[in-house]
Amino acid sequence: MKLYMQTPRNYQKELEKILCGLEGEDFVPPGLLLHSCCAPCSSYCMEYLREYFRITVFYYNPNITEREEYKKRVQEEIRLIGAYNRQAEEWESAQSGSGGVIKRVDERQKAEKRKPFKIKIIEGDYEPSCFLDMAKGLEDCMEGGERCFRCYELRLRETAKQAKKLGVDFFTTTLTISPLKNAAKLNEIGERLAGEYGVAWLPSDFKKRGGYQRSIELSKEYDLYRQNYCGCVFSKRAAKEE
């Protein structure tokens, strides 16, 4: 009897196929609700996707159980989005009044294949009690296990709800950029929630094609606060032990 191994899905290629389908003379950027876990992780995701989508960042992270840490991270997200939006304004001002001829460009603008759209941000409710209630009985789970999977769903479910409320075309998360996060599980949860809420899930594995390395470069470029744990008391404890 022959055994056949199932080939793992390549979520990056699936994303690229969707992006290719968005190109054309009559291109109208669809709306994307991008759940963000932090500014460093979102840096590459926004840089990559802002030429294809009207992005609204949804900052919802009840897993960040210390208020000061939460405030610090959300302010970094706002600061980064402000910098990206200034770049979009510069791109606009670099265009001539007719023919779309660029009058002046810097090195970054030369690298832009398409117009970068401005980005909005919505801050969700800060409700760490929701995360702690969800984690009851799972306090001793290893990082990357069942507790993390339920945390993924907690955040993605709220993102899907907001996506339906806003009427956007897609929703997704920056979490797949991390080498420590399970991209297959995140996409599995996202696809299931897409079926529940009737909003398309944008598949991703943002760490691929140098995405994670690019996020490190962008963190340095924008001097972003780069934390060493995901935000919850359990990951902080694990980081200290390591």
Side-chain angles (χ1 to χ4, degrees):
M1 182 176 66
K2 293 182 179 179
L3 295 176
Y4 296 92
M5 297 292 289
Q6 186 174 4
T7 303
R9 287 173 62 181
N10 188 321
Y11 295 102
Q12 174 60 28
K13 285 190 175 180
E14 291 181 25
L15 172 58
E16 290 171 0
K17 185 176 180 180
I18 291 171
L19 298 184
C20 284
L22 297 177
E23 296 177 345
E25 291 184 5
D26 299 325
F27 171 68
V28 177
L32 169 67
L33 190 64
L34 175 66
H35 166 261
S36 174
C37 56
C38 63
C41 287
S42 69
S43 60
Y44 166 73
C45 304
M46 292 190 297
E47 180 187 64
Y48 179 31
L49 298 175
R50 64 180 175 169
E51 298 176 358
Y52 298 94
F53 298 95
R54 295 279 187 183
I55 299 173
T56 299
V57 167
F58 183 48
Y59 196 87
Y60 177 71
N61 296 294
N63 59 304
I64 305 175
T65 42
E66 294 179 2
R67 182 173 291 274
E68 288 306 311
E69 180 72 18
Y70 175 87
K71 287 181 178 178
K72 190 173 186 178
R73 295 192 193 190
V74 76
Q75 287 304 313
E76 285 292 85
E77 187 74 59
I78 292 169
R79 182 169 70 85
L80 177 62
I81 289 172
Y84 278 4
N85 284 343
R86 285 190 293 275
Q87 290 176 3
E89 291 168 359
E90 290 169 6
W91 197 99
E92 288 279 5
S93 67
Q95 308 302 306
S96 68
S98 62
V101 179
I102 296 176
K103 292 190 291 186
R104 63 170 183 79
V105 293
D106 57 23
E107 289 305 311
R108 179 193 55 75
Q109 289 166 334
K110 287 178 183 178
E112 298 281 8
K113 299 188 297 294
R114 305 150 64 111
K115 173 184 176 180
F117 296 102
K118 296 182 82 170
I119 300 165
K120 298 178 181 178
I121 182 169
I122 297 173
E123 184 181 352
D125 294 333
Y126 178 54
E127 42 190 14
S129 59
C130 290
F131 169 79
L132 294 172
D133 288 343
M134 176 278 297
K136 285 180 180 177
L138 300 170
E139 293 87 349
D140 295 325
C141 282
M142 292 181 63
E143 284 295 294
E146 183 62 27
R147 185 183 64 242
C148 293
F149 295 164
R150 294 194 188 183
C151 181
Y152 297 167
E153 177 150 1
L154 175 66
R155 292 187 273 177
L156 289 180
R157 181 171 291 280
E158 187 62 25
T159 306
K161 287 180 184 177
Q162 289 294 325
K164 184 176 181 65
K165 180 179 177 181
L166 293 170
V168 297
D169 302 284
F170 295 90
F171 74 103
T172 195
T173 179
T174 64
L175 287 166
T176 64
I177 200 169
S178 171
L180 301 177
K181 299 292 188 289
N182 188 320
K185 192 68 176 179
L186 284 160
N187 280 282
E188 174 192 316
I189 293 169
E191 289 174 347
R192 173 163 49 79
L193 293 173
E196 287 185 36
Y197 290 93
V199 182
W201 168 255
L202 189 69
S204 74
D205 194 353
F206 290 120
K207 71 178 71 66
K208 297 290 184 68
R209 298 290 180 93
Y212 177 66
Q213 182 58 40
R214 178 61 179 156
S215 74
I216 295 173
E217 294 169 358
L218 288 166
S219 294
K220 292 178 180 177
E221 181 179 340
Y222 292 97
D223 192 26
L224 297 175
Y225 165 60
R226 194 174 180 87
Q227 64 281 345
N228 66 345
Y229 69 107
C230 82
C232 74
V233 292
F234 312 110
S235 63
K236 186 174 184 179
R237 180 182 64 196
K240 285 183 177 179
E241 290 173 355
E242 290 178 5

